[in-house]
Amino acid sequence: MRLALHTLCLLFLFSSCKTPEARRPVSIKSGSFINESINRNKELAAREEARIQKIINEDSTHTYITSETGFWYFYTKKDTVSTITPQFGDIVTFDYNVKDLGGTVIYSQQELNTITYRIDKEELFLGLREGLKLMKQGEMVTFLFPSYQAYGYYGDDNKIGTNIPLIAEVTLNTITKESTTEN
């Protein structure tokens, strides 16, 4: 009887234990949403850049420069003597206005007032942050930013909507080097 009980227990033990099986996912993610989003953003960027190129091609009075980070600009007033541009942590003061690509003013210089900004240590939209680093004190520059260099998908929650390329006319008033502000 004891042998039969042990045999029955062993038989039960071996029949109830089996190797674990991998569970199959409930849904399969193919990455198609991400790929579609990437394609939409590439198409949007291409359309915006084509609009900007059209503006550049139709403007024979200015010489446009393409930045390394993906925007275009020209000098209204250029300093050919100084070599000092703002660096990380420097404090700059500047005035600017913002227009859409059609030239309609979104924010006037009077609305925005003079801005005091510490380079790369405070919030400012990407294109303007990079554009200021190219300027010298006293220069006036007009920047053309595709939306991904401006306020992008979210806009500014006020006057600038989703995916709006911008023109910013900027005057860099002063540059205060970081080393002179630390004590």
Side-chain angles (χ1 to χ4, degrees):
M1 175 80 181
R2 202 171 203 200
L3 183 60
L5 186 59
H6 283 289
T7 307
L8 187 58
C9 285
L10 284 173
L11 184 63
F12 179 72
L13 183 66
F14 286 121
S15 66
S16 66
C17 294
K18 59 181 184 176
T19 60
E21 291 182 23
R23 297 184 310 183
R24 301 282 177 230
V26 175
S27 64
I28 298 173
K29 304 282 185 193
S30 66
S32 63
F33 174 78
I34 292 171
N35 291 335
E36 289 171 11
S37 179
I38 290 169
N39 289 335
R40 276 191 309 272
N41 287 336
K42 284 181 179 179
E43 290 171 9
L44 175 65
R47 282 193 310 270
E48 290 177 1
E49 289 173 11
R51 285 179 63 200
I52 291 171
Q53 282 301 322
K54 184 178 178 192
I55 291 169
I56 292 170
N57 293 340
E58 291 174 355
D59 183 359
S60 60
T61 59
H62 299 106
T63 302
Y64 288 83
I65 302 166
T66 304
S67 76
E68 293 179 9
T69 56
F71 58 84
W72 295 262
Y73 63 101
F74 66 85
Y75 289 90
T76 306
K77 180 180 176 188
K78 184 173 175 70
D79 181 345
T80 58
V81 178
S82 178
T83 58
I84 299 171
T85 57
Q87 303 299 315
F88 180 84
D90 292 347
I91 298 171
V92 297
T93 60
F94 65 96
D95 295 298
Y96 75 115
N97 66 39
V98 178
K99 301 176 181 180
D100 63 20
L101 290 185
T104 302
V105 175
I106 299 171
Y107 290 110
S108 70
Q109 189 172 335
Q110 291 74 28
E111 283 179 273
L112 297 172
N113 295 317
T114 298
I115 306 291
T116 300
Y117 170 70
R118 187 178 292 270
I119 298 291
D120 290 336
K121 290 189 173 185
E122 296 176 1
E123 288 294 316
L124 197 62
F125 71 85
L126 176 62
L128 188 53
R129 190 169 61 226
E130 294 302 314
L132 286 168
K133 294 179 201 175
L134 301 172
M135 296 179 72
K136 300 171 193 159
Q137 188 169 305
E139 288 186 329
M140 297 170 64
V141 177
T142 299
F143 296 99
L144 285 77
F145 300 115
S147 65
Y148 63 86
Q149 287 282 322
Y151 288 93
Y153 179 76
Y154 296 102
D156 75 341
D157 294 328
N158 194 6
K159 293 183 179 182
I160 300 172
T162 298
N163 297 322
I164 303 295
L166 300 174
I167 297 173
E169 297 171 326
V170 182
T171 301
L172 184 57
N173 301 321
T174 62
I175 301 171
T176 306
K177 301 308 270 178
E178 182 178 39
S179 60
T180 62
T181 61
E182 294 178 356
N183 283 331

